[in-house]
PDB file of all heavy atoms in Angstrom:
ATOM      1  N   TYR A1123      -5.960   3.353   3.538  1.00  0.00           N
ATOM      2  CA  TYR A1123      -5.574   3.852   2.220  1.00  0.00           C
ATOM      3  C   TYR A1123      -6.167   5.053   1.794  1.00  0.00           C
ATOM      4  O   TYR A1123      -7.389   5.015   1.819  1.00  0.00           O
ATOM      5  CB  TYR A1123      -5.727   2.584   1.245  1.00  0.00           C
ATOM      6  CG  TYR A1123      -5.507   3.017  -0.228  1.00  0.00           C
ATOM      7  CD1 TYR A1123      -4.218   2.924  -0.806  1.00  0.00           C
ATOM      8  CD2 TYR A1123      -6.515   3.550  -0.967  1.00  0.00           C
ATOM      9  CE1 TYR A1123      -3.986   3.297  -2.144  1.00  0.00           C
ATOM     10  CE2 TYR A1123      -6.250   4.005  -2.349  1.00  0.00           C
ATOM     11  CZ  TYR A1123      -5.097   3.836  -2.861  1.00  0.00           C
ATOM     12  OH  TYR A1123      -4.780   4.246  -4.108  1.00  0.00           O
ATOM     13  N   CYS A1143       3.081   6.428  -2.025  1.00  0.00           N
ATOM     14  CA  CYS A1143       3.256   5.031  -2.580  1.00  0.00           C
ATOM     15  C   CYS A1143       4.447   5.056  -3.437  1.00  0.00           C
ATOM     16  O   CYS A1143       5.224   4.137  -3.504  1.00  0.00           O
ATOM     17  CB  CYS A1143       2.022   4.648  -3.402  1.00  0.00           C
ATOM     18  SG  CYS A1143       0.516   4.188  -2.423  1.00  0.00           S
ATOM     19  N   CYS A1146       7.445   4.175  -1.432  1.00  0.00           N
ATOM     20  CA  CYS A1146       7.262   2.978  -0.674  1.00  0.00           C
ATOM     21  C   CYS A1146       7.917   1.789  -1.350  1.00  0.00           C
ATOM     22  O   CYS A1146       7.756   1.627  -2.526  1.00  0.00           O
ATOM     23  CB  CYS A1146       5.744   2.674  -0.540  1.00  0.00           C
ATOM     24  SG  CYS A1146       5.354   1.132   0.381  1.00  0.00           S
ATOM     25  N   LEU A1148       7.155  -1.281  -1.284  1.00  0.00           N
ATOM     26  CA  LEU A1148       6.187  -2.249  -1.776  1.00  0.00           C
ATOM     27  C   LEU A1148       5.559  -1.969  -3.125  1.00  0.00           C
ATOM     28  O   LEU A1148       5.053  -2.899  -3.768  1.00  0.00           O
ATOM     29  CB  LEU A1148       5.094  -2.440  -0.806  1.00  0.00           C
ATOM     30  CG  LEU A1148       5.541  -3.003   0.575  1.00  0.00           C
ATOM     31  CD1 LEU A1148       4.199  -3.292   1.393  1.00  0.00           C
ATOM     32  CD2 LEU A1148       6.385  -4.161   0.575  1.00  0.00           C
ATOM     33  N   LEU A1149       5.779  -0.752  -3.597  1.00  0.00           N
ATOM     34  CA  LEU A1149       5.133  -0.348  -4.953  1.00  0.00           C
ATOM     35  C   LEU A1149       5.874  -1.112  -6.023  1.00  0.00           C
ATOM     36  O   LEU A1149       7.049  -1.179  -6.039  1.00  0.00           O
ATOM     37  CB  LEU A1149       5.169   1.125  -5.129  1.00  0.00           C
ATOM     38  CG  LEU A1149       4.283   1.608  -6.287  1.00  0.00           C
ATOM     39  CD1 LEU A1149       2.777   1.304  -6.003  1.00  0.00           C
ATOM     40  CD2 LEU A1149       4.480   3.162  -6.524  1.00  0.00           C
ATOM     41  N   CYS A1160       0.438  -2.930  -6.081  1.00  0.00           N
ATOM     42  CA  CYS A1160       0.945  -3.067  -4.798  1.00  0.00           C
ATOM     43  C   CYS A1160       0.506  -4.420  -4.250  1.00  0.00           C
ATOM     44  O   CYS A1160      -0.740  -4.898  -4.396  1.00  0.00           O
ATOM     45  CB  CYS A1160       0.353  -1.953  -3.852  1.00  0.00           C
ATOM     46  SG  CYS A1160       0.774  -2.332  -2.021  1.00  0.00           S
ATOM     47  N   LEU A1162      -0.213  -5.636  -1.538  1.00  0.00           N
ATOM     48  CA  LEU A1162      -1.380  -5.490  -0.499  1.00  0.00           C
ATOM     49  C   LEU A1162      -2.680  -5.450  -1.059  1.00  0.00           C
ATOM     50  O   LEU A1162      -3.675  -5.672  -0.331  1.00  0.00           O
ATOM     51  CB  LEU A1162      -1.084  -4.289   0.592  1.00  0.00           C
ATOM     52  CG  LEU A1162       0.255  -4.318   1.248  1.00  0.00           C
ATOM     53  CD1 LEU A1162       0.232  -3.344   2.390  1.00  0.00           C
ATOM     54  CD2 LEU A1162       0.421  -5.794   1.930  1.00  0.00           C
ATOM     55  N   PHE A1163      -2.752  -4.994  -2.148  1.00  0.00           N
ATOM     56  CA  PHE A1163      -4.105  -4.821  -2.922  1.00  0.00           C
ATOM     57  C   PHE A1163      -4.109  -5.680  -4.187  1.00  0.00           C
ATOM     58  O   PHE A1163      -4.215  -5.193  -5.175  1.00  0.00           O
ATOM     59  CB  PHE A1163      -4.475  -3.347  -3.196  1.00  0.00           C
ATOM     60  CG  PHE A1163      -4.498  -2.534  -1.873  1.00  0.00           C
ATOM     61  CD1 PHE A1163      -3.536  -1.756  -1.508  1.00  0.00           C
ATOM     62  CD2 PHE A1163      -5.647  -2.644  -1.062  1.00  0.00           C
ATOM     63  CE1 PHE A1163      -3.552  -0.996  -0.427  1.00  0.00           C
ATOM     64  CE2 PHE A1163      -5.659  -1.990   0.096  1.00  0.00           C
ATOM     65  CZ  PHE A1163      -4.629  -1.119   0.481  1.00  0.00           C
ATOM     66  N   VAL A1168      -2.807   0.973  -7.355  1.00  0.00           N
ATOM     67  CA  VAL A1168      -2.845   2.147  -6.340  1.00  0.00           C
ATOM     68  C   VAL A1168      -2.319   3.328  -6.986  1.00  0.00           C
ATOM     69  O   VAL A1168      -1.377   3.235  -7.835  1.00  0.00           O
ATOM     70  CB  VAL A1168      -2.168   1.843  -5.059  1.00  0.00           C
ATOM     71  CG1 VAL A1168      -2.834   0.535  -4.383  1.00  0.00           C
ATOM     72  CG2 VAL A1168      -0.681   1.525  -5.188  1.00  0.00           C
ATOM     73  N   CYS A1174      -0.802   4.212   2.492  1.00  0.00           N
ATOM     74  CA  CYS A1174      -1.676   3.321   3.525  1.00  0.00           C
ATOM     75  C   CYS A1174      -0.635   3.119   4.728  1.00  0.00           C
ATOM     76  O   CYS A1174       0.515   3.480   4.605  1.00  0.00           O
ATOM     77  CB  CYS A1174      -2.039   2.071   2.777  1.00  0.00           C
ATOM     78  SG  CYS A1174      -0.817   0.756   2.909  1.00  0.00           S
ATOM     79  N   TYR A1176       0.746   0.681   5.819  1.00  0.00           N
ATOM     80  CA  TYR A1176       1.836  -0.261   5.719  1.00  0.00           C
ATOM     81  C   TYR A1176       3.020   0.300   4.913  1.00  0.00           C
ATOM     82  O   TYR A1176       3.808  -0.523   4.568  1.00  0.00           O
ATOM     83  CB  TYR A1176       1.319  -1.565   5.187  1.00  0.00           C
ATOM     84  CG  TYR A1176       0.389  -2.133   6.169  1.00  0.00           C
ATOM     85  CD1 TYR A1176      -0.969  -2.211   5.959  1.00  0.00           C
ATOM     86  CD2 TYR A1176       0.744  -2.678   7.395  1.00  0.00           C
ATOM     87  CE1 TYR A1176      -1.918  -2.778   6.833  1.00  0.00           C
ATOM     88  CE2 TYR A1176      -0.020  -3.018   8.302  1.00  0.00           C
ATOM     89  CZ  TYR A1176      -1.449  -3.294   8.020  1.00  0.00           C
ATOM     90  OH  TYR A1176      -2.352  -3.740   8.920  1.00  0.00           O
ATOM     91  N   TRP A1177       2.992   1.606   4.711  1.00  0.00           N
ATOM     92  CA  TRP A1177       4.040   2.260   3.954  1.00  0.00           C
ATOM     93  C   TRP A1177       5.431   1.844   4.543  1.00  0.00           C
ATOM     94  O   TRP A1177       5.696   1.813   5.834  1.00  0.00           O
ATOM     95  CB  TRP A1177       3.879   3.791   4.085  1.00  0.00           C
ATOM     96  CG  TRP A1177       5.022   4.505   3.247  1.00  0.00           C
ATOM     97  CD1 TRP A1177       4.987   4.915   2.040  1.00  0.00           C
ATOM     98  CD2 TRP A1177       6.281   4.995   4.001  1.00  0.00           C
ATOM     99  NE1 TRP A1177       6.075   5.659   1.737  1.00  0.00           N
ATOM    100  CE2 TRP A1177       6.917   5.689   2.880  1.00  0.00           C
ATOM    101  CE3 TRP A1177       6.777   4.899   5.040  1.00  0.00           C
ATOM    102  CZ2 TRP A1177       8.241   6.224   3.107  1.00  0.00           C
ATOM    103  CZ3 TRP A1177       8.052   5.421   5.328  1.00  0.00           C
ATOM    104  CH2 TRP A1177       8.784   6.149   4.305  1.00  0.00           C
TER     105      TRP A1177
HETATM  106 FE1  SF4 B 235       1.099  -0.239  -1.211  1.00  0.00          FE
HETATM  107 FE2  SF4 B 235       3.116   1.050   0.026  1.00  0.00          FE
HETATM  108 FE3  SF4 B 235       1.142   2.435  -1.174  1.00  0.00          FE
HETATM  109 FE4  SF4 B 235       0.530   1.061   1.018  1.00  0.00          FE
HETATM  110  S1  SF4 B 235       1.994   2.866   0.836  1.00  0.00           S
HETATM  111  S2  SF4 B 235      -0.630   1.073  -0.760  1.00  0.00           S
HETATM  112  S3  SF4 B 235       2.047  -0.626   0.869  1.00  0.00           S
HETATM  113  S4  SF4 B 235       2.711   0.992  -2.182  1.00  0.00           S
END
Side-chain angles (χ1 to χ4, degrees):
Y1123 171 89
C1143 290
C1146 173
L1148 298 185
L1149 192 63
C1160 169
L1162 297 190
F1163 298 104
V1168 300
C1174 87
Y1176 297 109
W1177 180 90

